[in-house]
Amino acid sequence: MAPKTPTLIFTLSVLSLLSLTFFFYLHSTTISPNPQNPLAAPENSINVYILPIPRSLNYGLLQKYWALNSDTRIGSEIDNEIRKTIFPNLSEKEKALPYPENPIIKQYSAEYWILGDLLADEELKRSSFARRVLDSSEADVIFVPFFATLSAELQLVINKGVFRKRVEENEDYVRQKMVVDLVKKTDAWKKSNGRDHVFVITDPVAMWHVKDEIAPAILLVVDFGGWYRLDSKTSNDSSSDSTIHHTQVSLLKDVIVPYTYLLPRLHISENRKRNTLLYFKGEKHRHRGGLVREKLWDLLVNEHGVIIEEGFPNATGKEQSIKGMRNSEFCLHPAGDTPTSCRLFDAIQSLCIPVIVSDNIELPFEGTIDYSDFSVFASVSDALRPNWLVSHLSSYSSEQKNRFREYMGRVQPVFQYDNDYPGGIGPTSPDGAVNHIWKKVYEKLPVIREAITRERRKPSGVSVPVRCNCI
C-alpha cells in the first residue's frame, strides 16, 4: 500500500491555506472603509465637557434675535416673515428656536449645530463622534457654548456704530468679556491655560475684542482670513513676504470648518446637461483679497460661455444661484473679504465643479478629503492672464468633469450640519460636518496634550515668547 503521508501533508496544507485566506478575508472586511464612502472613520470618540455658562450667551441670544421687531439688513426678509409666525408663541417655543435664515448669519451656523449635537439624548447619539461627559476631569476637551457669531450679528443689527468700540453700549463686547472672565476663572482653564478649550468663531468679526485672550484655545474657524491683521501686529519678522506668521491661529491646534451651505443639494442622479462653462454670482467690490475678484470680473464678464453677475442670496438671488450653478460646468471661487466663502459649499451641493483661485487658502477636513479630486485650483497669476482661465477650463474632457461630479456626490454629506431636529438639538448625521469637526479636533489632541505638559513643567515666573510660525 502506498504511504499516505504526502496526501495528509497536502490536505493539512490546503486547510491551513484556506484558514489563512478566511482569516485575512474577515480581517479586511472589518477594517476596510465603506466602498460607497471613502471617508469612513475609525471607531473612536472624543469626550467633551460643556462649560456651564448662562443661557443668555447661547439660546438666550436666539430668543433675543427673534424678539426683534425687524431687521432691515439685506437678506433679512425671510427672518422677518418667521417672526410673524413664532413671536406670538415665543414662551412655548423658546427651547426650539431655529437659527436665523438670513444668509449673512446662517452661513456661520456651526455653533448652533455643534451644541445641539452635544445636548442630544445619549440614547440617540450612537453615531455621534463626540461623547458628552459631566465631569471636566474626564474630558478630552472643554467646549465653550457661546454663540459668538449670533452675538456679533445682533450687535450689528441693534447698534452697528459701536461695534468696534470697547464700550458698555456695545453689548457684544460686554458678552465677549463675560465669557472670557467666566472661562478664565475655572480650574479647567487654569490647568491647561485654555489649550484644551474649544471656541466656535466662524464669523470673521466674532470675538473680535478678545481674540488675543482666547488664542491658546482650539479655535473652530472657516479660514484664517480674519486673523491676518492681528498677526501682522504681533510678528516682527519681515524676512519673507511669502510666509504668513500666525501667532494666534495654526493648523497644528485649530480646525477649519465648513460654512453652512445655502443652496439645496442636487443628487448625482438628478444631474442634467449643463450649458454654461463658468458661473459666478456675488458682489464685485470686496476688501483685501477681493481685489483679485474685481480683476477676474473685468477679465471674464464678456467671455463666451461665462456668466458673471452681481447679486446676493436673498429670496430672488437664491433662485438665480440655484439655476446658475446647476446649469454650469464650473463655478468660480475667488477670494472676497476672506479667502473662502459659503459659495464653495453651495457649488459642491450643486455639483458645479469649484474653480478655486487662491495662492493661500485653508479648506475643511483636508487629509480626509482631497479637493483636487473634484476641484480646479488656479494660481492668481495664471487666472489673471487674459484668456487663460477659459481656455484651461475648456480643455477638460466630459469624462474628467463627470469624474469630478461623481466624487462631489460622495462628499456632499460631509458638509451637512442640519440634523432636522427642532431647535437643532439632536444627533448629527453620521457622516456630517459636526462629526468630521470633532474627528479633526481628536487628531489635534496629542500635540495639545504635549503643549499642556510642557507648560506645566515651566519654572514659575519664566516667560516664553510666542513664536508660532506654523504650517
Side-chain angles (χ1 to χ4, degrees):
M1 181 181 292
K4 296 184 180 180
T5 302
T7 304
L8 179 61
I9 293 173
F10 175 78
T11 303
L12 290 173
S13 298
V14 169
L15 288 173
S16 298
L17 183 59
L18 286 172
S19 298
L20 283 170
T21 302
F22 185 63
F23 169 80
F24 284 117
Y25 169 77
L26 286 177
H27 187 67
S28 64
T29 55
T30 301
I31 66 170
S32 63
N34 182 344
Q36 299 301 316
N37 175 21
L39 305 169
E43 295 184 0
N44 295 317
S45 64
I46 186 170
N47 292 334
V48 182
Y49 175 75
I50 303 177
L51 189 78
I53 64 173
R55 189 175 182 276
S56 61
L57 295 172
N58 41 63
Y59 292 110
L61 290 173
L62 274 178
Q63 187 175 355
K64 188 178 180 73
Y65 177 81
W66 291 114
L68 293 172
N69 289 328
S70 68
D71 181 356
T72 59
R73 296 184 302 169
I74 188 169
S76 61
E77 300 85 0
I78 188 169
D79 284 349
N80 290 333
E81 186 61 33
I82 291 173
R83 283 185 179 91
K84 295 177 184 178
T85 305
I86 71 168
F87 183 73
N89 302 310
L90 191 60
S91 59
E92 295 89 4
K93 299 245 182 185
E94 64 178 10
K95 291 186 179 179
L97 290 175
Y99 203 78
E101 286 292 322
N102 183 335
I104 294 175
I105 308 175
K106 182 179 180 178
Q107 62 181 334
Y108 300 124
S109 64
E111 57 192 16
Y112 179 76
W113 303 111
I114 292 172
L115 181 56
D117 174 64
L118 288 172
L119 293 176
D121 189 322
E122 289 297 326
E123 286 299 310
L124 301 174
K125 286 185 59 177
R126 301 182 184 217
S127 61
S128 296
F129 190 79
R131 187 174 74 91
R132 183 183 178 187
V133 295
L134 302 179
D135 186 337
S136 62
S137 65
E138 299 175 2
D140 295 309
V141 293
I142 313 294
F143 182 73
V144 183
F146 176 43
F147 286 176
T149 285
L150 193 55
S151 176
E153 294 296 337
L154 258 174
Q155 185 60 46
L156 291 171
V157 174
I158 295 169
N159 188 353
K160 183 178 180 180
V162 298
F163 183 73
R164 300 287 188 185
K165 299 177 181 178
R166 300 188 178 196
V167 294
E168 291 298 314
E169 293 80 10
N170 184 350
E171 295 179 16
D172 178 44
Y173 166 67
V174 172
R175 287 189 288 264
Q176 291 177 36
K177 289 300 295 178
M178 184 187 303
V179 169
V180 169
D181 290 344
L182 284 169
V183 170
K184 287 194 169 184
K185 287 177 183 176
T186 65
D187 290 337
W189 180 279
K190 294 172 185 176
K191 185 178 178 181
S192 68
N193 193 31
R195 292 183 185 275
D196 56 358
H197 286 54
V198 179
F199 289 84
V200 186
I201 315 180
T202 44
D203 192 326
V205 298
M207 300 296 275
W208 181 262
H209 296 286
V210 296
K211 283 184 174 181
D212 56 337
E213 297 184 66
I214 63 171
I218 304 164
L219 308 177
L220 309 186
V221 297
V222 292
D223 58 36
F224 293 154
W227 300 79
Y228 292 156
R229 186 176 172 188
L230 292 172
D231 284 336
S232 66
K233 293 179 180 178
T234 54
S235 174
N236 296 318
D237 184 358
S238 57
S239 59
S240 173
D241 292 335
S242 64
T243 302
I244 296 173
H245 295 272
H246 288 301
T247 54
Q248 296 179 316
V249 285
S250 160
L251 289 176
L252 291 176
K253 70 176 184 70
D254 303 318
V255 175
I256 304 297
V257 305
Y259 286 79
T260 301
Y261 55 81
L262 304 176
L263 303 186
R265 179 181 178 184
L266 177 70
H267 293 268
I268 192 70
S269 60
E270 302 170 312
N271 187 54
R272 298 292 180 266
K273 179 176 170 54
R274 294 168 182 256
N275 301 307
T276 303
L277 177 68
L278 180 64
Y279 178 78
F280 174 82
K281 184 180 184 65
E283 294 185 62
K284 178 179 180 180
H285 303 290
R286 306 306 297 163
H287 308 294
R288 294 193 295 272
L291 295 175
V292 174
R293 179 188 294 191
E294 293 181 26
K295 293 178 181 178
L296 281 170
W297 189 296
D298 293 335
L299 271 177
L300 297 169
V301 68
N302 294 318
E303 287 278 2
H304 177 71
V306 177
I307 295 178
I308 303 287
E309 54 188 12
E310 191 101 27
F312 185 83
N314 52 15
T316 303
K318 181 176 180 179
E319 291 306 313
Q320 292 173 343
S321 294
I322 292 172
K323 181 180 178 181
M325 286 192 169
R326 292 186 176 189
N327 194 45
S328 299
E329 299 278 14
F330 298 93
C331 283
L332 186 63
H333 184 72
D337 291 340
T338 57
T340 58
S341 75
C342 69
R343 190 177 293 104
L344 170 63
F345 306 97
D346 286 338
I348 293 170
Q349 297 306 314
S350 304
L351 297 176
C352 186
I353 301 166
V355 179
I356 300 173
V357 179
S358 177
D359 295 340
N360 180 49
I361 191 170
E362 297 90 13
L363 296 168
F365 315 140
E366 288 197 277
T368 302
I369 296 174
D370 185 347
Y371 286 80
S372 63
D373 285 335
F374 59 87
S375 306
V376 175
F377 288 86
S379 68
V380 170
S381 60
D382 280 340
L384 292 180
R385 288 161 52 193
N387 305 317
W388 183 89
L389 191 57
V390 169
S391 175
H392 180 64
L393 297 180
S394 299
S395 70
Y396 282 86
S397 67
S398 296
E399 290 76 18
Q400 286 174 303
K401 290 181 286 189
N402 288 336
R403 194 159 57 245
F404 279 171
R405 275 191 282 273
E406 287 170 5
Y407 196 92
M408 262 193 288
R410 293 201 294 272
V411 301
Q412 281 175 326
V414 174
F415 304 110
Q416 178 184 334
Y417 281 108
D418 198 328
N419 56 27
D420 294 326
Y421 280 82
I425 299 178
T428 183
S429 168
D431 199 35
V434 174
N435 265 357
H436 281 279
I437 288 169
W438 284 121
K439 288 169 188 174
K440 293 301 287 187
V441 174
Y442 183 82
E443 291 174 9
K444 315 283 183 183
L445 291 181
V447 171
I448 291 165
R449 286 169 178 158
E450 180 179 339
I452 293 171
T453 302
R454 291 174 60 228
E455 184 77 16
R456 283 181 191 156
R457 53 88 168 155
K458 190 171 66 177
S460 178
V462 172
S463 177
V464 178
V466 175
R467 52 179 184 274
C468 183
N469 181 14
C470 305
I471 56 174

